Amino acid sequence: MSTTEETPMRATGRQIPDRLTRPGARLLKSWEALLLIVAVAIFILNSLASPYFLDPWNLSDATFNFTEKAMIAFAMAMLIIAGEIDLSVGAIIALASTVMGVAMTEGASTFVIVLLGLGTGLACGAFNGILVARFGLPSIVVTIGTMSLFRGISYIVLGDGAFTGYPPSFAWFGQGYVFWVITVELVIFAIAALIFGVLLHRTNFGRAVYAIGNNATAARFSGIRVERVKFILFLLTGLLSGIAAICLTSRLGSTRPSIATGFELEVVTIVVLGGVSILGGAGSIPGVVLAAFVMGLVTFGLGLLNVPGIVMSIIVGALLIGVIALPRLWFMLRRR
Amino acid sequence: MSLLRSRELILAFAILALLIAIAARFPGFVTPRNLAKVFTDTSPLILLALGQMIVILTRCIDLSVAANLALCGMVAALLDGAGIPLPVILPTVVALGAALGAVNGLLVWKLAIPSIVVTLGTMTIYRGTIFLLTGGAWINAHQMSDAFKAFPRAMILGLPVMAWIAILAILGVAVLLSRTPLGRAFYAVGGNPHAAVYTGISVGRTQFAAFVIAGALAGLTGYLWVARYAVAYVDIAAGFELDVVAACVIGGIALTGGSGTVAGAVMGALFLGIIKNALPVVGISPFWQMAISGAAILIAIAVHAASQRESGRIILRQAEEQA
């Protein structure tokens, strides 16, 4: 272990993955800087392209584009850093929303509805966690299975129907404002960013997550309870999906079994765009926050220009590949 | 004992048990004619699962197959609308599918971007391109020529062309994997990439080849899908990529690469296809389909994990598994 190279990073309390000591590390280390430049550039472009962009109410509404996905992305980022993945998050939202809908039709109070949403998220996360951590099954396969299972239960309950008529007090989560134009969802997003930033970068638990992602065997032999950490990560992903389900259901005011379809891939896109290695062991919460803002700004700006949603997805896909490919392309050319 | 360990045999018994259970209440389901219909219905899933299997063998994954299918299907419909004859359309869409697969393959090979990231991106790009081509318009049955629609349904020896194409693809991939150097390279690259390099196999080039084959099969399926259902629009086969991966998983193709058989992939696809076709017959609401296939996936991997588990012969086995 060379101490000289690690000292500056250790000051920030972040575990340094080995691959960052290779040539090209400096650019990868400044991934957040790259994202920040992209975000600012898109912000300026947006404000030039549309006169309506800088309106505070518009900007506030724009946050709906990403907050629900981004809060799940924090938990997903930790899961991916630990070398696992959860493809069932969209289905967990659907199931949690369905459970809340059933409770609502039974006349439950807002408090109980919210509690059930959180509980369903936790239960789904625990189910994934048990299958992956306790039985040692590969998470990508398990969560493809539970994705069909959870959403399938929603379809069984709802068929082609929908739950509508949530109580007015429930609408606060998805439609309420805290200070003037700051939405409740944005506040939840900020709190989640803070909690997960501290959890990943300032605690032993976060250190363990990096250790597992880099070398699970070494982590086990250094006394980290790998299974327990993984189980907790799945619980967290489930919980955050439950919170997202509450926000989304409240914002839409209804539950359909097709709610949040395709969320899992968008959440993974945010995480990967945020500089988290899909192979595990590297990544940061500030990167995920910036990636969420980049995604939100891109879709909002294009929306103001009346670009259809499906064309936005082309641009987001190109952004995902481009942001990852360009630095690599640059190194390949420079090495010549 | 070794027979019982065989994934394919367990799966074959599972399919047989499924058929017997359905036949017990609805004998009409297992008539040769209906089974042929089920096989034909499952043909697109089989074709894509074969391509996906090859990609998964090389430790990659292709999430863009369904979008590739949709784009090639739309292009086929557009070419047909322009009055181009079917014998030209068919090779064109296969080549287009292969080219789209090659884009994935090049990004994985030359830039070493993880395949899940590459195909996540190209998935949205390919599907979005359909919108750019058509402005979101649908192409309906009356806008397609009769020859275009008739080809997959034409009967040869009692089976539609669509089913024969699936059978030919199964045989072709089986020969490719067991009788050619490229086929062995797929297994070698997935089984141990480092060892593969030392035996002179280019890992990247092999993965590239896998993506091209998967893309070509998706392109072919795109035409078949559009012609059979006689409609083309942006969202055809939406979410189908996960059905394809699920078929591979049920068929025992290890997502860690290097292990899996053609028979497994085909039976995995058939298992899902039979469930899908049987639900309305047995009188279960189709809304149960998703939950049932999800449960089937979980049971399949649980059985797989159990059959892999050996008694504690090796010291620190658990640690070895993690490595």
Side-chain angles (χ1 to χ4, degrees):
Chain A
M1 262 204 182
S2 62
T3 47
T4 47
E5 281 176 15
E6 294 182 12
T7 316
M9 287 295 283
R10 186 173 287 165
T12 69
R14 195 187 302 171
Q15 182 87 12
I16 317 142
D18 284 347
R19 57 178 70 96
L20 286 194
T21 56
R22 288 198 317 230
R26 283 178 57 189
L27 196 93
L28 278 176
K29 271 182 194 163
S30 65
W31 188 276
E32 289 82 0
L34 180 77
L35 279 175
L36 194 62
I37 294 167
V38 172
V40 170
I42 296 172
F43 193 88
I44 294 171
L45 274 177
N46 277 349
S47 54
L48 291 178
S50 168
Y52 306 108
F53 177 73
L54 286 176
D55 180 77
W57 288 99
N58 272 341
L59 278 180
S60 161
D61 278 356
T63 56
F64 288 130
N65 281 329
F66 64 86
T67 41
E68 288 139 8
K69 291 158 199 158
M71 38 182 115
I72 307 175
F74 297 134
M76 182 78 89
M78 287 186 74
L79 201 54
I80 291 180
I81 290 171
E84 303 287 347
I85 197 166
D86 187 346
L87 294 177
S88 69
V89 288
I92 295 178
I93 292 180
L95 186 55
S97 188
T98 305
V99 170
M100 289 191 287
V102 171
M104 182 263 298
T105 48
E106 298 290 323
S109 67
T110 300
F111 179 73
V112 175
I113 293 176
V114 168
L115 221 55
L116 280 172
L118 297 179
T120 311
L122 275 175
C124 293
F127 188 66
N128 284 331
I130 287 171
L131 288 177
V132 173
R134 173 72 185 80
F135 295 106
L137 304 175
S139 60
I140 187 166
V141 188
V142 166
T143 55
I144 284 177
T146 53
M147 176 171 122
S148 297
L149 187 67
F150 295 156
R151 197 178 285 281
I153 297 172
S154 299
Y155 271 102
I156 292 172
V157 173
L158 274 158
D160 53 2
F163 288 127
T164 51
Y166 284 92
S169 53
F170 184 68
W172 181 74
F173 293 95
Q175 301 168 14
Y177 294 88
V178 177
F179 307 105
W180 189 42
V181 293
I182 309 287
T183 60
V184 174
E185 287 197 15
L186 193 63
V187 172
I188 298 177
F189 165 80
I191 294 172
L194 209 66
I195 292 175
F196 277 87
V198 170
L199 187 64
L200 182 59
H201 299 307
R202 289 282 186 277
T203 64
N204 287 336
F205 183 80
R207 204 171 277 273
V209 168
Y210 281 108
I212 293 170
N214 276 305
N215 190 334
T217 312
R220 184 186 310 283
F221 285 123
S222 50
I224 293 169
R225 298 165 89 167
V226 177
E227 281 75 28
R228 181 146 56 157
V229 171
K230 284 185 178 173
F231 180 76
I232 293 172
L233 289 177
F234 275 103
L235 269 188
L236 285 175
T237 315
L239 178 67
L240 266 293
S241 305
I243 296 174
I246 294 166
C247 291
L248 187 63
T249 311
S250 158
R251 181 157 67 86
L252 302 176
S254 69
T255 297
R256 285 175 200 285
S258 61
I259 190 174
T261 304
F263 258 45
E264 54 282 339
L265 297 179
E266 284 187 62
V267 170
V268 173
T269 304
I270 293 179
V271 170
V272 172
L273 196 61
V276 174
S277 164
I278 198 90
L279 306 173
S284 77
I285 294 298
V288 176
V289 174
L290 284 168
F293 274 104
V294 168
M295 290 269 284
L297 285 169
V298 166
T299 48
F300 179 54
L302 295 172
L304 280 177
L305 297 175
N306 288 324
V307 174
I310 185 104
V311 179
M312 280 182 205
S313 68
I314 300 188
I315 295 167
V316 170
L319 198 71
L320 173 66
I321 295 181
V323 169
I324 292 167
L326 284 179
R328 297 191 185 209
L329 211 59
W330 190 57
F331 281 121
M332 276 173 59
L333 294 175
R334 226 178 47 154
R335 245 192 343 227
R336 293 242 163 112
Chain B
M1 194 62 199
S2 65
L3 266 182
L4 275 177
R5 285 256 175 82
S6 154
R7 286 278 297 180
E8 287 73 31
L9 210 66
I10 295 176
L11 201 50
F13 279 131
I15 290 177
L16 209 63
L18 192 63
L19 285 177
I20 290 171
I22 300 165
R25 290 190 59 192
F26 298 91
F29 191 81
V30 292
T31 56
R33 173 188 259 182
N34 192 59
L35 288 180
K37 182 185 158 289
V38 171
F39 182 80
T40 313
D41 278 347
T42 315
S43 294
L45 188 55
I46 292 175
L47 285 167
L48 293 190
L50 287 171
Q52 186 71 264
M53 177 188 78
I54 297 176
V55 174
I56 291 177
L57 280 182
T58 66
R59 285 198 185 177
C60 289
I61 194 161
D62 189 347
L63 295 176
S64 71
V65 281
N68 187 336
L69 177 163
L71 178 53
C72 290
M74 179 56 86
V75 168
L78 287 172
L79 289 176
D80 179 61
I84 292 165
L86 188 59
V88 182
I89 293 177
L90 217 47
T92 311
V93 290
V94 173
L96 175 65
L100 295 177
V103 172
N104 291 332
L106 274 177
L107 287 166
V108 170
W109 176 16
K110 291 298 183 187
L111 292 177
I113 306 175
S115 60
I116 187 166
V117 178
V118 168
T119 54
L120 206 56
T122 54
M123 172 173 104
T124 62
I125 295 175
Y126 295 166
R127 207 174 273 284
T129 308
I130 309 171
F131 183 87
L132 292 184
L133 282 178
T134 62
W138 290 44
I139 296 182
N140 292 310
H142 63 89
Q143 291 160 291
M144 295 174 187
S145 70
D146 289 335
F148 184 81
K149 284 180 289 187
F151 181 65
R153 302 158 202 245
M155 300 295 269
I156 299 173
L157 299 174
L159 266 185
V161 167
M162 189 147 163
W164 283 112
I165 290 177
I167 291 169
L168 286 180
I170 293 167
L171 294 177
V173 172
V175 170
L176 173 75
L177 287 184
S178 59
R179 292 284 177 271
T180 66
L182 183 62
R184 306 322 294 172
F186 290 138
Y187 283 97
V189 163
N192 189 337
H194 297 289
V197 169
Y198 286 117
T199 56
I201 297 169
S202 161
V203 174
R205 195 190 300 259
T206 310
Q207 289 170 337
F208 174 77
F211 277 106
V212 171
I213 294 171
L217 285 168
L220 175 66
T221 316
Y223 160 71
L224 293 173
W225 187 295
V226 165
R228 180 154 198 259
Y229 298 108
V231 65
Y233 55 98
V234 172
D235 277 333
I236 58 167
F240 202 57
E241 59 275 345
L242 291 167
D243 284 8
V244 175
V245 175
C248 288
V249 167
I250 292 176
I253 285 101
L255 286 180
T256 45
S259 119
T261 62
V262 173
V266 173
M267 284 197 281
L270 279 176
F271 189 78
L272 285 180
I274 291 171
I275 288 179
K276 189 177 173 181
N277 273 279
L279 286 180
V281 178
V282 185
I284 297 175
S285 142
F287 294 118
W288 281 73
Q289 184 188 326
M290 225 176 185
I292 291 177
S293 58
I297 295 168
L298 291 178
I299 293 169
I301 55 166
V303 168
H304 182 55
S307 69
Q308 295 273 301
R309 197 154 291 158
E310 281 177 53
S311 48
R313 192 160 42 91
I314 302 165
I315 300 171
L316 293 177
R317 166 135 202 114
Q318 204 181 16
E320 194 194 42
E321 276 171 2
Q322 293 288 331

